[in-house]
Amino acid sequence: MIVTTPVLTDTHCHIDAYDNPVAVLDGAHAAGVHVIAVTEDPGKYRLLRTRLGRRDGVDVALGFHPLRAGSASPHDLARFLRLLPQATWIGEIGLDFSRTGVATRKQQLRVFEAILADPQLRTHPVTVHSRGAERETITRLAQAQVPAILHWYTGPLAAVDDALSAGLWFSINPAMTRSKKGEALLQRLPPERILLETDGPYARCGNRPVTPADLRGTVEYLARQWGMSANEARGVIVRGQGNFWSQTSAHLQLDEGSKGSICDASSTP
């Protein structure tokens, strides 16, 4: 009998920012990790899709990073919305009201709200940036009923329950397991609402960038926190991945049903 190990998913990885993206993807494949390659704008999305082609083990996500929104033109936003139907994943999108991004708060809100207003977004898995704007991000995602993952959440723990009530998920990376904020967040989260990410190469593992292959260590860390074996923890995460994907599928079925009714009676870094 052949026993296969369930595939883990790195839900947030800047694969185009590594020195050798192909080598990183080869390592991910060997470690049994599927990679979601987030992008920061529609132009980078198209370039990365062309570069990777139909390579197995990776999906390129259509992104519009909030720090890009300050210089965005109406054409850039229109291009994002035009590409949205062909994307399998959306990310990185969101808000950033940290000292780095607060000056473009209004522009970010305009772009984020326009993306959330597109009903097609609800049929895609989405990975979301929320630094310094956690409550605003959670409120808008809840209002839009978008199945989303809060990537590298560092906001107030008091807002975590609101996010969980809104049906949102949280992705954990190796760097978070070594921080007090990350540990405190894990104490608040039910295991079944945790997914994995690297945010590589920006997150670090010692003196080197984190890679998707490092998520095996994150699973082992979570196993210790949850008081179970690594195989059991992997099973919890894989089931969580399936439950998250099913949310987007449910929205797709609902939207297709709505479109059918209309026809009978007579759409994001």
Side-chain angles (χ1 to χ4, degrees):
M1 180 178 67
I2 298 175
V3 178
T4 59
T5 302
V7 173
L8 298 171
T9 299
D10 178 351
T11 63
H12 195 108
C13 182
H14 297 265
I15 199 70
D16 58 346
Y18 286 96
D19 292 336
N20 190 339
V22 172
V24 173
L25 289 173
D26 287 342
H29 180 74
V33 179
H34 186 89
V35 176
I36 306 305
V38 297
T39 57
E40 296 189 351
D41 60 57
K44 288 192 172 184
Y45 165 76
R46 294 191 68 180
L47 285 173
L48 189 58
R49 282 193 66 189
T50 300
R51 182 177 183 183
L52 296 180
R54 297 184 178 276
R55 185 183 182 90
D56 290 336
V58 59
D59 286 310
V60 179
L62 172 63
F64 207 137
H65 196 285
L67 296 182
R68 300 269 176 161
S71 58
S73 69
H75 170 75
D76 295 325
L77 180 56
R79 189 182 191 191
F80 178 98
L81 297 174
R82 187 169 64 249
L83 290 169
L84 198 159
Q86 66 181 250
T88 53
W89 272 74
I90 304 300
E92 168 173 12
I93 63 171
L95 298 171
D96 189 318
F97 297 165
S98 68
R99 285 182 295 178
T100 305
V102 69
T104 60
R105 176 186 178 114
K106 289 183 178 179
Q107 296 96 316
Q108 290 181 45
L109 284 168
R110 176 179 60 80
V111 170
F112 191 46
E113 290 173 354
I115 292 172
L116 293 179
D118 191 319
Q120 294 179 96
L121 189 70
R122 297 189 304 151
T123 66
H124 293 72
V126 183
T127 174
V128 179
H129 180 112
S130 62
R131 184 175 59 177
E134 293 84 7
R135 293 187 185 278
E136 293 90 341
T137 303
I138 291 167
T139 296
R140 283 164 175 78
L141 289 171
Q143 291 171 344
Q145 298 182 338
V146 170
I149 307 164
L150 293 173
H151 131 74
W152 201 335
Y153 183 87
T154 57
L157 293 179
V160 169
D161 290 341
D162 292 336
L164 292 172
S165 296
L168 302 178
W169 299 66
F170 291 78
S171 53
I172 303 298
N173 64 51
M176 295 172 72
T177 67
R178 298 188 296 273
S179 74
K180 290 184 178 179
K181 274 193 172 183
E183 290 178 358
L185 174 64
L186 282 171
Q187 296 299 317
R188 292 289 287 264
L189 295 176
E192 62 271 16
R193 296 290 279 279
I194 291 176
L195 300 175
L196 302 179
E197 64 159 79
T198 56
D199 202 25
Y202 303 119
R204 309 287 295 181
C205 184
N207 294 323
R208 64 171 177 82
V210 168
T211 69
D214 292 317
L215 291 182
R216 291 174 299 184
T218 305
V219 172
E220 292 170 359
Y221 171 87
L222 291 172
R224 292 192 296 272
Q225 296 298 307
W226 296 340
M228 60 181 68
S229 71
N231 282 339
E232 289 171 328
R234 176 184 282 263
V236 170
I237 294 164
V238 170
R239 285 192 296 274
Q241 290 173 177
N243 291 336
F244 177 68
W245 312 158
S246 70
Q247 283 189 329
T248 60
S249 298
H251 278 301
L252 178 60
Q253 292 168 4
L254 286 172
D255 286 354
E256 287 179 342
S258 298
K259 288 176 184 176
S261 298
I262 292 171
C263 290
D264 292 341
S266 53
S267 95
T268 54

